[in-house]
């Protein structure tokens, strides 16, 4: 029996050529000291595989039609066996992919692995990053809840700022003048067919390049890359001390990917995907569109940027950013690779990471958004309030002051906290500010009567007792 | 390499050159033909683009003087299966007995839906804190301009709005 099975396997391998196919893995030599710092790319690839599997699973459950997509998501989330877990895994897999890709990129940049002869690896990497971001974005939209559809509007508006062709692009993106049934169809086809196909092409090529040009050896200060001699030197180094890619290097990738899987499984199971917001409806304005975490920093940027330059930044920012990324291997393709000898590269990376992190942080608080759900003040906010102060409190709620200003613990944080405003502004100054507004505060002169104004000011002056 | 005579060799090369060109030419033609359905399908919204239309949003008397009210209507040319998602909203304000204005609900910054806060007569945007006065002009926050307006007309006491694309603020706004 045993030998019978063995014969079958032998036949399959003889006619099917499986060992031949895999042989290059065991004969391909890599630098011996390629260590744990080399696992980021393969972990990103692992996430891609995970996305394909969970994506196909979701495809069996999802209805890509504007009319019922939301219902099918409810089904996935609430009724389907393991549905919410699969959705969670797809969500966290996407997060993992974006995150690991970011680290992979920073690693490659800091070690200058993009220099000769691996320029094309960097360039295809940048393309892959762009496609991944598109995938993350289109995926968020397929959730097709209110958050999803309004995110599509925001994206279209951003595209619309591109000079000359902006309007056509946003028309193309939405599949028309407004959000409609067309929109979901388009995003679905892009997310499920078009861009995955492009990713596969690019990933295959990216991997081919890894084999063709070899894994970059860990940099050493004082050993600059010289395009004239590098290839020969690399070849000789490999001949002398290279180790086979499989299993000497691949085992680390396997372990790390398994680790990533465990983390993603835990996150998917215990945290899950973002909760669905209300059903998509362009006539429902009681929504609070927020992007998924990968875009929170851009969201923050739009809120904080001076509006005079915003249109320019929205257009030139990405153009210059992407342009620089593509240009990088041409700007510097030889010389030192070690971060120890490239302090500016380290400083620049640190600066970008820090800026994005702070934008992230502030974006997650979104202090600029009015808090429509702020708990209204009651007459007890001021102890023993006079009837005028009570009226002032009521107005503070009704006029929407509370959406942007805090009294005590209650209220929004767009504007200054007004709990003790009487220590900063006197009565006249308060009146002037309320009537005239400021750059980020509307003028209330038109909508408040004299008495109402007096009531509010009286209340604000009272506040110290709180 | 070739163990044939020299003349034949030249012919072979010529022939190969021709076959190379032929094959890549055919490849390109096939590619172009295959790209055609992809492109036409992607451009469907362009080829089926319809004109904007007038939609009734209510009778004149539904709107009180000085009141701002939300109305909803169907977009210009939705696929028939779009159902509810093809509906749009606008804020209509009656300024005098015969003057109406209709504002887009889309913030002039990046298109988020603004909310009307009745008492303070302001439109507030949830996204980045844009604020507009009741006449649609910008009051605060990042929007570079006031709210966009819909064309509006009264026909036999009935208010009609002309559908519009989602307003897009461009660089020069
Ligand atoms: S979309 Fe309204 S303030 Fe940005």
């Amino acid at each position: 029996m045993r030998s019978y099975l063995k014969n079958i396997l032998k036949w399959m391998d003889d006619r099917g050529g499986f060992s031949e196919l895999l042989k290059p893995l065991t004969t391909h030599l890599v630098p011996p000291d390629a260590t744990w710092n080399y696992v980021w790319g393969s972990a990103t690839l692992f996430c891609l595989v995970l996305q394909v599997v969970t994506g196909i699973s979701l495809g069996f459950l999802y209805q890509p039609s504007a009319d019922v997509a939301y219902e099918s998501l409810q089904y996935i989330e609430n009724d389907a066996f393991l549905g919410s877990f699969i959705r969670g895994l797809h969500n966290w897999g996407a997060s993992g992919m974006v995150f690991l890709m970011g680290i992979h990129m920073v690693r490659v940049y800091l070690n200058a692995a993009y220099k000769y002869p691996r320029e094309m690896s960097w360039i295809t990497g940048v393309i892959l990053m762009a496609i991944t971001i598109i995938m993350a974005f289109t995926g968020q939209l397929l959730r097709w809840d209110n958050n999803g559809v309004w995110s599509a509007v925001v994206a279209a508006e951003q595209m619309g700022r591109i000079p000359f062709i902006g309007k056509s692009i946003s028309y193309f993106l939405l599949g028309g003048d407004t959000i409609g049934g067309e929109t979901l169809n388009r995003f679905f086809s892009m997310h499920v067919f078009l861009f995955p196909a492009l990713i596969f092409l690019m990933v295959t090529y990216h991997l081919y390049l890894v084999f063709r040009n070899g894994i970059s050896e860990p940099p050493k200060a004082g050993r600059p890359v010289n395009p004239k001699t590098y290839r020969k030197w690399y070849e000789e180094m490999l001949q002398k001390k290279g180790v086979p890619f499989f299993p000497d290097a691949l085992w680390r990738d396997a372990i790390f990917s398994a680790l990533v899987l465990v983390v993603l499984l835990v996150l998917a199971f215990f945290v899950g995907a973002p909760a669905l917001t209300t059903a998509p409806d362009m006539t429902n304005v009681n929504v609070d569109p927020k992007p998924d975490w990968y875009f929170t920093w851009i969201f923050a940027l739009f809120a904080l940027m001076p509006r005079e330059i915003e249109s320019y930044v929205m257009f030139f920012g990405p153009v210059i950013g992407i342009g620089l990324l593509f240009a990088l291997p041409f700007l510097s393709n030889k010389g030192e690779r070690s971060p120890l000898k490239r302090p500016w590269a380290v400083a620049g990376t640190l600066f970008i990471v820090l800026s994005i992190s702070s934008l992230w942080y502030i974006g997650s608080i979104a202090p600029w958004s009015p808090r429509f759900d702020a708990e209204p003040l009651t007459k007890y906010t001021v102890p023993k309030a006079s009837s005028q102060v009570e009226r002032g409190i009521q107005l503070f709620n009704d006029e929407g002051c509370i959406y942007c200003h805090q009294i005590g613990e209650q209220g929004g944080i767009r504007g200054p906290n007004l709990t003790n405003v009487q220590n900063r502004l006197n009565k006249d100054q308060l009146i002037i500010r309320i009537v005239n507004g400021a750059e980020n505060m509307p003028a209330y002169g038109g909508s408040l009567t004299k008495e109402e104004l007096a009531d509010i000011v009286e209340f604000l002056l009272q506040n110290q007792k709180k | 390499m070739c163990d044939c005579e020299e003349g034949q060799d030249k012919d072979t090369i010529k022939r190969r050159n021709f076959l190379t060109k032929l094959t890549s030419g055919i490849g390109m033609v096939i590619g172009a033909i295959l790209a055609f359905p992809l492109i036409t399908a992607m451009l469907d919204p362009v080829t089926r683009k319809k004109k904007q239309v007038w939609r009734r949003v209510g009778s004149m008397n539904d709107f009180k003087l000085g009141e701002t009210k939300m109305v909803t209507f169907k977009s210009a040319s939705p696929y028939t299966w779009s159902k509810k998602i093809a509906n749009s909203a606008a804020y209509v304000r009656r300024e005098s007995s015969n003057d109406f204005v209709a504002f887009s609900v889309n913030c002039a910054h990046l298109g988020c839906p603004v909310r009307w806060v009745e008492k303070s007569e302001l439109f507030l945007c949830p996204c980045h804190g844009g604020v507009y006065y009741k006449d649609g002009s910008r009051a605060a926050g990042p929007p570079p301009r006031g709210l966009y307006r819909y064309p509006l007309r009264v026909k036999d006491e009935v208010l009609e709005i002309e559908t519009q694309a989602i307003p897009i603020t461009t660089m020069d706004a």
Side-chain angles (χ1 to χ4, degrees), chain B residues 8-18:
Chain B
Q8 250 180 321
D9 193 22
K10 237 182 213 161
D11 276 350
T12 319
I13 291 176
K14 241 186 179 168
R15 191 179 132 84
R16 287 209 179 120
N17 275 346
F18 170 73

Side-chain angles (χ1 to χ4, degrees), chain A residues 81-101:
Chain A
F81 178 63
L82 285 184
S84 113
F85 173 70
I86 297 173
R87 197 180 146 236
L89 201 53
H90 198 63
N91 172 71
W92 285 106
S95 298
M97 194 166 157
V98 172
F99 182 72
L100 291 164
M101 175 181 282

Side-chain angles (χ1 to χ4, degrees), chain A residues 157 161 171 177 186 310 369 443, chain B residues 42 45 52 109 120 126 133 167:
Chain A
E157 295 267 348
R161 301 236 181 164
Y171 184 89
D177 281 332
R186 305 178 82 67
E310 186 171 64
S369 287
Chain B
M42 284 203 283
Q52 304 292 357
H109 180 224
S120 56
Y133 293 117

